[in-house]
Amino acid sequence: MTTDTPAAATLPLSHLLPVTAGLSLAGNLQVGGCDLADLAREYGTPLYVYDAETVRRQCQWALGAFKAEHEDTQVLYASKAFLNRPFARFIADQGLGFDAVSGGEIAVLQAAGVDMSTVYFHGNNKGPDELALAVQAGVGRIVIDNLGEVALVETAAAAQGKTQGVMIRVSPGIDGHTHEKTTTGILDSKFGLPISTGAAEAAVVSIVAAPHLDFRGLHMHLGSPIFELEPYVAGVEVMAAFIADLRDRLDIEVPEFSPGGGFAVAYLGEQEPPAWQAYAQAICGTLKREADTRGFPLPHVTIEPGRSIVGRAGIAIYTVGARKEVPGIRTFVSVDGGMADNIRPAMYGSRYEAITVQRPNAPAEELISVAGKYCESGDILIKDINLPRLETGELLAIPAAGAYQLMMSSNYNMATTPAVLMVDGGNARLIRRRETADDLMALDVD
Ligand SMILES: *Cc1c(COP(=O)(O)O)cnc(C)c1O
């Protein structure tokens, strides 16, 4: 592995790439001191590479920015963005807790040995088994999403003779101005208890009356990615009014508050998401101002970033295959992955950039579309991108691939999920091996 000094500044799109991105001595794209062409040769493609240093820095930046505004802030990593056992341990080592949304995620976190009191359990339809597992595992908070869930959590806690800390997820009626499939804070959403219908207040009242539940506070999550600050400001204002209302009318204190996650990352060269400090100022600044004017004590704050912790850290590497030119219409260049490892373009119309691994500075020569290899016409990873003329067999990297890609992967067409590496200081560590044909058949019962 070459470990020359990264030369990120000489790379195009360096703000989309992991912070350690540079050129190897061989002139290839390198990350974490590792030449990506070497890694592709050794581990095959499609390959997902996570840069440990980028994750570390994002964790530090998130903690630093929010604690600078409000010392009593805790950062929970939203596991659904990317999770496995070694990665959970790495995140815990950075001082973060976790947001989990299923019994499966709780099981992984438990197996990883993380402190379960730092785990917050979310979801709009947690089943009785999941809730029993969560209470048993000792998760710090269960975030109740609907009225019926109050009785379910009470039953689970009572059955184990425990008192469970709970929050409620409130739907503040704020539009995060993101894709309709990823907006969650509006009234017409399956997530959360609306304030305007009285459901949020009814849930708080029944939690306070429940003998095995400890009401800890309010949560909102507006959706993702949210490139604007204004929805957070508006959301915090709505929540603050509700906090004051609960105290004034019902004498109920709200010691904890979460504005959720949703902090954006850049996928395209022209995108420039707000810095951590800007999100922190918008959220904590508004909360402080509201607490001041409405006269309630500043609550403990938990934020739940997923995408913004891992999105930029991950890079997907594919091998270029077939080329199909339809004169006057389009040129398709296919790669050896696609919607099975990255469903986001097909599901959300998400856009990406791409960089040739072996000649990252080569000028663009033609407009093409990067096609996946799966049997769906919609399996196009990048529609219309200007790239150097790609040669069959060369490597193409897609940056900002760390979040919501592998976690949404499928075995469609009996695809095998890619291997995952974590690179750090010139070392590449396999944290998840490539799936094999045997894995695909492992659950078959003949
Ligand atoms: C998905 C999710 C998050 C994380 O969203 P990001 O955009 O990845 O930061 C946080 N909180 C809740 C409740 C979520 O469902």
Side-chain angles (χ1 to χ4, degrees), residues 20 48 67 69 71 74 77 143 156 299 317 352 366:
T20 63
Y48 277 70
K67 282 183 172 292
E69 292 296 320
E71 178 53 38
Q74 190 182 2
Y77 168 65
V143 184
I317 305 165
Y352 286 87
E366 57 174 0

Side-chain angles (χ1 to χ4, degrees), residues 53-128:
E53 184 59 19
T54 304
V55 179
R56 238 181 248 123
R57 288 212 207 156
Q58 295 295 349
C59 292
Q60 284 162 11
W61 286 335
L63 278 165
F66 274 83
K67 282 183 172 292
E69 292 296 320
H70 179 32
E71 178 53 38
D72 189 16
T73 298
Q74 190 182 2
V75 179
L76 309 176
Y77 168 65
S79 308
K80 71 182 188 291
F82 177 69
L83 183 70
N84 75 353
R85 287 193 310 251
F87 194 74
R89 288 186 204 109
F90 184 82
I91 290 286
D93 286 345
Q94 310 311 312
L96 273 60
F98 296 86
D99 153 344
V101 294
S102 71
E105 287 185 355
I106 289 174
V108 172
L109 293 168
Q110 221 176 355
V114 313
D115 174 358
M116 295 307 285
S117 72
T118 69
V119 176
Y120 285 46
F121 186 28
H122 293 270
N124 67 298
N125 187 26
K126 308 175 194 78

Side-chain angles (χ1 to χ4, degrees), residues 38-276:
D38 288 347
L39 296 181
R41 203 172 306 119
E42 185 169 352
Y43 295 96
T45 57
L47 180 66
Y48 277 70
V49 177
Y50 281 82
D51 178 40
E53 184 59 19
T54 304
V55 179
R56 238 181 248 123
R57 288 212 207 156
Q58 295 295 349
C59 292
Q60 284 162 11
W61 286 335
L63 278 165
F66 274 83
K67 282 183 172 292
E69 292 296 320
H70 179 32
E71 178 53 38
D72 189 16
T73 298
Q74 190 182 2
V75 179
L76 309 176
Y77 168 65
S79 308
K80 71 182 188 291
F82 177 69
L83 183 70
N84 75 353
R85 287 193 310 251
F87 194 74
R89 288 186 204 109
F90 184 82
I91 290 286
D93 286 345
Q94 310 311 312
L96 273 60
F98 296 86
D99 153 344
V101 294
S102 71
E105 287 185 355
I106 289 174
V108 172
L109 293 168
Q110 221 176 355
V114 313
D115 174 358
M116 295 307 285
S117 72
T118 69
V119 176
Y120 285 46
F121 186 28
H122 293 270
N124 67 298
N125 187 26
K126 308 175 194 78
D129 292 353
E130 285 177 312
L131 289 170
L133 170 69
V135 173
Q136 169 90 51
V139 302
R141 300 282 178 268
I142 293 176
V143 184
I144 291 177
D145 205 276
N146 55 73
L147 276 168
E149 202 184 324
V150 179
L152 285 180
V153 183
E154 167 63 24
T155 304
Q160 299 181 36
K162 287 186 173 176
T163 299
Q164 177 64 52
V166 299
M167 299 174 77
I168 64 161
R169 174 158 178 178
V170 175
S171 156
I174 299 294
D175 189 346
H177 301 142
T178 186
H179 194 281
E180 77 170 288
K181 286 182 185 159
T182 57
T183 192
T184 58
I186 57 174
L187 194 56
D188 183 6
S189 166
K190 72 171 182 174
F191 294 109
L193 292 142
I195 299 173
S196 57
T197 63
E201 180 178 314
V204 175
V205 169
S206 63
I207 289 167
V208 169
H212 298 87
L213 303 184
D214 177 17
F215 175 67
R216 300 303 304 161
L218 305 179
H219 169 276
M220 71 174 195
H221 174 64
L222 300 175
S224 178
I226 298 177
F227 280 86
E228 299 162 33
L229 300 174
E230 179 274 333
Y232 287 102
V233 172
V236 171
E237 285 170 355
V238 168
M239 300 292 277
F242 186 47
I243 291 174
D245 202 38
L246 286 175
R247 183 209 46 199
D248 295 345
R249 289 191 305 106
L250 302 171
D251 206 20
I252 294 172
E253 294 292 337
V254 178
E256 299 173 15
F257 169 70
S258 175
F263 314 118
V265 299
Y267 288 95
L268 300 177
E270 70 265 23
Q271 286 175 332
E272 213 180 313
W276 283 107

Side-chain angles (χ1 to χ4, degrees), residues 183-409:
T183 192
T184 58
I186 57 174
L187 194 56
D188 183 6
S189 166
K190 72 171 182 174
F191 294 109
L193 292 142
I195 299 173
S196 57
T197 63
E201 180 178 314
V204 175
V205 169
S206 63
I207 289 167
V208 169
H212 298 87
L213 303 184
D214 177 17
F215 175 67
R216 300 303 304 161
L218 305 179
H219 169 276
M220 71 174 195
H221 174 64
L222 300 175
S224 178
I226 298 177
F227 280 86
E228 299 162 33
L229 300 174
E230 179 274 333
Y232 287 102
V233 172
V236 171
E237 285 170 355
V238 168
M239 300 292 277
F242 186 47
I243 291 174
D245 202 38
L246 286 175
R247 183 209 46 199
D248 295 345
R249 289 191 305 106
L250 302 171
D251 206 20
I252 294 172
E253 294 292 337
V254 178
E256 299 173 15
F257 169 70
S258 175
F263 314 118
V265 299
Y267 288 95
L268 300 177
E270 70 265 23
Q271 286 175 332
E272 213 180 313
W276 283 107
Q277 284 82 353
Y279 284 117
Q281 279 162 12
I283 290 166
C284 297
T286 307
L287 188 63
K288 279 191 268 189
R289 197 181 64 233
E290 291 286 323
D292 253 18
T293 47
R294 295 179 185 276
F296 60 80
L298 204 53
H300 170 69
V301 166
T302 47
I303 60 162
E304 301 168 341
R307 188 191 309 277
S308 47
I309 298 291
V310 287
R312 184 178 170 186
I315 185 161
I317 305 165
Y318 302 97
T319 300
V320 173
R323 177 182 181 94
K324 173 183 176 180
E325 292 180 22
V326 189
I329 301 201
R330 181 181 303 284
T331 296
F332 295 94
V333 175
S334 294
V335 295
D336 57 353
M339 64 185 284
D341 63 274
N342 183 5
I343 192 94
R344 295 186 67 257
M347 186 144 97
Y348 311 128
S350 305
R351 308 265 323 155
Y352 286 87
E353 305 279 5
I355 302 175
T356 52
V357 171
Q358 291 119 321
R359 42 189 184 126
N361 284 306
E365 292 165 311
E366 57 174 0
L367 180 70
I368 60 143
S369 288
V370 178
K373 66 170 289 174
Y374 303 106
C375 292
E376 288 284 312
S377 289
D379 180 25
I380 301 292
L381 281 175
I382 307 176
K383 193 176 172 191
D384 293 337
I385 181 170
N386 287 301
L387 286 177
R389 191 186 159 102
L390 298 172
E391 304 294 336
T392 298
E394 84 172 300
L395 300 167
L396 192 66
I398 295 194
Y404 302 108
Q405 292 190 195
L406 287 178
M407 292 295 99
M408 291 192 182
S409 69

